[in-house]
Amino acid sequence: MMINGLHIELTNICTLQCPGCARTQFIEQWPQHWRNHSINANSLFKFLDIDINGMQILLCGNYGDPIYHPEFIELVQEFKNRKAQLSISTNGSYKKSDWWKTVAAMLDHNDTVTFSVDGTPDNFTQYRVNGDWETIKQAMQVCANANCYTQWKYIPFSYNQHSIDLAESLSQELGIDEFTVSLSDRFDEKTDYLRPNEESLGRRFHSQQQWKTVGTIAVNAKCSNNQEHFITADGYYSPCCFLADHRFYYKTQFGKHKNQYSINDHTLTGILRQPKIIEFFQTLPQNAGCQYNCPA
């Protein structure tokens, strides 16, 4: 199987409490079962038995913010030693300027740092609860003055859908290369109060409502680009981050038989040669999690 890219969750640690985040919802529902995890660097790089020279590697995840991995700088250095192209997705809160200068110095024009800030400094914490604008601002300024490409990703909610232009102007003042509005579809009974107007809903929203009614829907699999192979913070492989979300994970073979996909005991190429993996990719349109998360 071809591998064009990877998505790695370095840690499930985060300083925020975003109401729509899988981390927040898991902790609220099952606090006794939550454990903080940060991926083991030695296991990770042994698992990656492939040439990652020029490969796009997304550092993001379902539950955590990658910058809070205790060895984040060392991990970035090793990825760059192997000539990978990094895309780091973060809120950017609570790290000092000197820390960001160390990180930014390792990055080049092929690397991207995306700051997820949903609103202006005076309102973004309505979703990014506990976010800290001053340290985010410092991080943006450091990265904007470095060689890497920078993005400000903005999700419209009911409280911020009218302040997009203000945020975009601020991003330009800070020297951010690109301001991106990312339409969301993850609104449920816990987050419906945050739902913006129809024009600001992601296209998948209505497809997902249809899936809940009909029970089956055609699939436009995001993983078909072979860039979505996912590794969790506690060290397990999944075809994508969607299926590694606890709301789907334990209904799949990857959650039910997770030890078969441990990065401690296997290599990436070894896992992708497993008959069950090959069968999954051949039959994924039949998977309910795929239908919900990647509707055509």
Side-chain angles (χ1 to χ4, degrees):
M1 183 182 299
M2 186 181 298
I3 304 171
N4 296 327
L6 296 165
H7 180 180
I8 302 175
E9 182 175 57
L10 295 184
T11 184
N12 66 2
I13 296 171
C14 189
T15 60
L16 307 189
Q17 293 178 327
C18 305
C21 177
R23 183 181 197 275
T24 303
Q25 294 189 5
F26 185 104
I27 292 173
E28 288 178 348
Q29 190 167 4
W30 299 292
Q32 71 276 22
H33 295 302
W34 179 261
R35 299 291 184 275
N36 286 339
H37 293 284
S38 291
I39 205 163
N40 181 282
N42 290 331
S43 297
L44 174 63
F45 288 111
K46 287 180 181 177
F47 175 74
L48 297 178
D49 61 334
I50 56 173
D51 182 8
I52 60 173
N53 185 348
M55 183 176 289
Q56 182 73 38
I57 296 181
L58 171 61
L59 303 181
C60 185
N62 291 333
Y63 298 95
D65 188 317
I67 67 173
Y68 302 118
H69 190 291
E71 300 175 87
F72 180 79
I73 289 173
E74 292 80 3
L75 284 160
V76 169
Q77 185 63 69
E78 182 60 24
F79 280 123
K80 295 311 297 178
N81 288 344
R82 298 192 182 197
K83 303 186 186 308
Q85 297 179 13
L86 296 181
S87 179
I88 301 166
S89 183
T90 180
N91 173 251
S93 292
Y94 301 111
K95 290 291 187 179
K96 296 181 179 179
S97 289
D98 287 345
W99 186 91
W100 278 108
K101 288 176 182 176
T102 300
V103 172
M106 293 186 286
L107 305 178
D108 58 45
H109 68 280
N110 292 313
D111 303 312
T112 301
V113 180
T114 298
F115 295 94
S116 296
V117 182
D118 311 313
T120 53
D122 62 327
N123 69 14
F124 81 102
T125 55
Q126 291 188 50
Y127 183 74
R128 302 282 170 177
V129 178
N130 293 336
D132 180 67
W133 172 250
E134 286 306 312
T135 48
I136 295 171
K137 178 181 177 182
Q138 291 171 16
M140 287 181 169
Q141 290 173 324
V142 169
C143 292
N145 288 321
N147 292 326
C148 58
Y149 191 77
T150 53
Q151 291 181 324
W152 178 328
K153 189 177 79 171
Y154 187 112
I155 299 174
F157 292 107
S158 56
Y159 70 86
N160 71 0
Q161 60 190 358
H162 303 300
S163 56
I164 293 174
D165 291 343
L166 288 173
E168 184 171 13
S169 295
L170 179 55
S171 76
Q172 293 169 354
E173 291 176 17
L174 292 169
I176 299 296
D177 293 308
E178 181 181 359
F179 181 86
T180 303
V181 176
S182 179
L183 304 184
S184 179
D185 45 67
R186 294 299 180 92
F187 295 99
D188 55 25
E189 63 277 3
K190 292 185 178 181
T191 56
D192 199 57
Y193 71 98
L194 292 167
R195 191 199 298 191
N197 56 33
E198 286 292 313
E199 293 75 19
S200 296
L201 287 171
R203 69 170 185 82
R204 295 192 310 162
F205 180 80
H206 297 292
S207 295
Q208 289 172 346
Q209 305 313 305
Q210 179 185 353
W211 178 86
K212 290 176 182 179
T213 301
V214 178
T216 185
I217 198 169
V219 172
N220 181 20
K222 189 177 180 183
C223 65
S224 62
N225 60 15
N226 286 305
Q227 293 181 345
E228 304 300 322
H229 300 278
F230 185 65
I231 305 170
T232 65
D234 55 346
Y236 295 94
Y237 169 86
S238 175
C240 71
C241 66
F242 293 139
L243 293 186
D245 183 307
H246 67 270
R247 289 164 284 197
F248 303 96
Y249 190 50
Y250 297 101
K251 299 174 184 177
T252 71
Q253 68 194 59
F254 307 100
K256 292 177 181 178
H257 309 290
K258 62 191 302 184
N259 287 337
Q260 296 179 21
Y261 308 102
S262 170
I263 69 171
N264 294 311
D265 304 317
H266 303 276
T267 62
L268 178 56
T269 54
I271 282 179
L272 294 179
R273 288 177 182 146
Q274 291 182 16
K276 285 289 187 180
I277 288 286
I278 296 171
E279 180 184 2
F280 170 82
F281 280 103
Q282 290 174 340
T283 61
L284 67 81
Q286 302 167 26
N287 185 285
C290 298
Q291 292 179 16
Y292 180 79
N293 288 295
C294 291

